[in-house]
Every structure is written in C-alpha cells, then in structure tokens.
Amino acid sequence: MSFSPLPPALMQDRLSLPHGGPVRLLIDTDAANEIDDQFAIAWALLSPEHMMVEAVTAVPFSFAHHQPELLAAERALEEGTARDEHLVGGFQGWLDRLHGQGRRAADLTFVGPAEGMDLSYAEICTIYEKLGIPADGKVFQGAQRYMQHPEDVVASDAVDTIIRLAKTDDAPLYIAAMGCVTNIASALLKAPEIRERIVVIWTSAYPSSAPHCNRPSLNLVQDVHASRIIFDSGVPHVYLPGYHVGAQLKISRPEMAQFVQGRGAIGDYLYHLYTHNPLHDMFAISDRERRTWVIWDIINIAWLINPDWVPTHLTQSPILDAELYWQRDANRHQMREAHDVQRDEIFLDFYDKLAAAAT
C-alpha cells in the first residue's frame, strides 16, 4: 500500500513532546515474552496524572526463528567450521553456556506466535489483578500470526480496538509498542486514515544511524513486513532504539529486593518475575544473583512521563533494506528518535510509584 504524506503542520504537532496533562494511551505488548513489559504496564497504570491507559492489547511472540540457526551453529562448531561467522554468528556464547550446563540446542522448546499472544493476554490480566484494577473491557487479544506479505491485514480484536480508540476522540491516541508491531501495522492497513490520530512509540533495534544489522532485535525481526510499515507509512513515530539506548535500563537483584519486593502484590509479583526470569533458562544464564537484567520497555512509559528522561531528536525515517540494515534518504518523512536515557531518574520514579501504591 502507498501512503500519502501527512500535512507538515500535523506531523510537527504529533511529533512534539507530550505536554499539558494526561495523554490517551494504548499499550501493545508481548507481556509474557520476558519480564520488562510487566514493569512498564504497571508503571503506566500507576501514572494516571501522565497517561490514561484506555486499552492493553496482546501481541504474538516467538523465539522459534532462532532454532534452525542455533542448530546449524552447533553443527558448525562440532564439525570444526566454527570460524565461519556466517554459520556461527552470535550463537557462540549461547551454545557455550548451554553445553556448559550439559544441554544441547535440540533441548530447547519455543512457543509459537499464537501461543505467545495467548500467554501475553493472560499476563496482562495478571498485572491488572495484582494492581487491583478491573481489566474488563480494557484487555484485548491480538494477532495469532505474523504478516505474510506487505498488505496482509492480520485480523484481531486488537486491530479493531486500535482503530476504534483512534477515532473516538480528537486528542491523539499514543500507542506504546512493546513487541512486534503486527497489530499496529494491520490497523494502519485496514484504516489508513488513523495515521492522523495516533502516535506510535516503539522500542526496537539499533539507532537509525548505526551501521549494524538489525536482525538481533526480536521486536523488529519477528514481523519484518509490519516493521517496515511503521517506518514507511508516515505514521507519527517516536523511535526508541533498544541497542544501546534502552539497554541502559538495567536493574540488579539487590535493587529489586530493596525497592520493589514488599511494595504490595504488584511489587512482590515483579520480584518473583525477576527471580524466575524465563529467559534465564532459555539462554542458559548462570550466576543469576549477581547479574543485572534490562527492563527495556519502560523506556516507552518514561518518555511519556518526562521526555527529558529520554532525550530525543528529529530525523528522517530510515529505510529497512532486505538484509535488515538501515539505509538513509534525506527525502524521507521525519520521526523522533531517542539517543539517551536518564536511567536513575526513571527508576526512582518507578520506585516511588510502587511505594505510594502500597501504602
């Protein structure tokens, strides 16, 4: 589909920094993928002075695309072709950790995208429950698969909810995208007129100026067709690179024990997630007590609460090429892109919100 450019004045308004009271927010999330989305959802729901969470929609997720690559890398290592970077790539460390635990690549099991979405839907409901907030009419199921071609609308309640809420009010609907963007891209294809009424805040991949391949980004690589639509459609877009901007949002186990555990049912649940991180087992992480973990997706909420905590600049939306590298074109429409985070200020506000809710 070819999207016509939005009027420059409208784009400028939509890409301005949030101001003047709470914004309308929809969160689009793969909440069961790991543990960061749960922190972000809770923080958003505990910040009504900055955002009104009108809906939370579940997105598919799966690490299954890693399995054939991981198996091929394991064979390459065992056959003595480990120096072949094309075969081994970034899997060396993962395989070393697995083998150190007496495990093999074939021992890993991965959920498919449909199951990932179902698990995420249930996890979103759990966060509402732990906060004592009714989830009725607020949480919606999303896509059960990824887009198969650039104009493939993957129907779901999430798509209909995005379109409905975008058209409900004259105030723009901010969409905090915390996973692959199948739901959002499908909504844009189904109702392209909503581009004028939404702002997509998405965290994934490398800065648009980086020379690196974006394949390591789970949020981007799962549904490349959908990812391209976010950058190509001209929808107002606040891009928050995960590497190495959001990657600064690390938290340690001692901090979790001191500032999160014991802060109500939600604090105890987040601490439980931290100490039972499903990715620890999948990636064969050892010495877990002394390691930090990245709470990537709170960057979306941080920008809405205080844009100074996530400094951004205006730049041209890049082109995502066939090999998943960024290509620059000075004639492309603008987007807003983050280049840093104020890590301590972000977590201090999060801790304060948890403590206040627990009293």
Side-chain angles (χ1 to χ4, degrees), residues 32-35 38 123 253 256 261 268-282 288-289 293:
N33 173 33
E34 51 168 303
I35 66 172
Q38 294 93 322
E123 189 69 7
R253 185 161 179 165
M256 289 292 301
Q261 186 182 29
D268 287 340
Y269 183 63
L270 294 176
Y271 182 79
H272 170 80
L273 290 173
Y274 190 91
T275 55
H276 297 78
N277 190 333
L279 296 194
H280 279 161
D281 289 333
M282 189 181 78
R288 301 170 186 181
E289 293 79 7
W293 195 262

Side-chain angles (χ1 to χ4, degrees), residues 137-169:
K138 296 291 186 180
V139 183
F140 300 89
Q141 293 188 324
Q144 296 194 14
R145 62 175 178 84
Y146 306 126
M147 294 175 62
Q148 297 177 357
H149 56 80
E151 297 188 9
D152 183 18
V153 176
V154 184
S156 69
D157 289 344
V159 169
D160 294 339
T161 299
I162 290 169
I163 295 170
R164 173 176 58 83
L165 291 178
K167 295 181 176 182
T168 295
D169 197 298

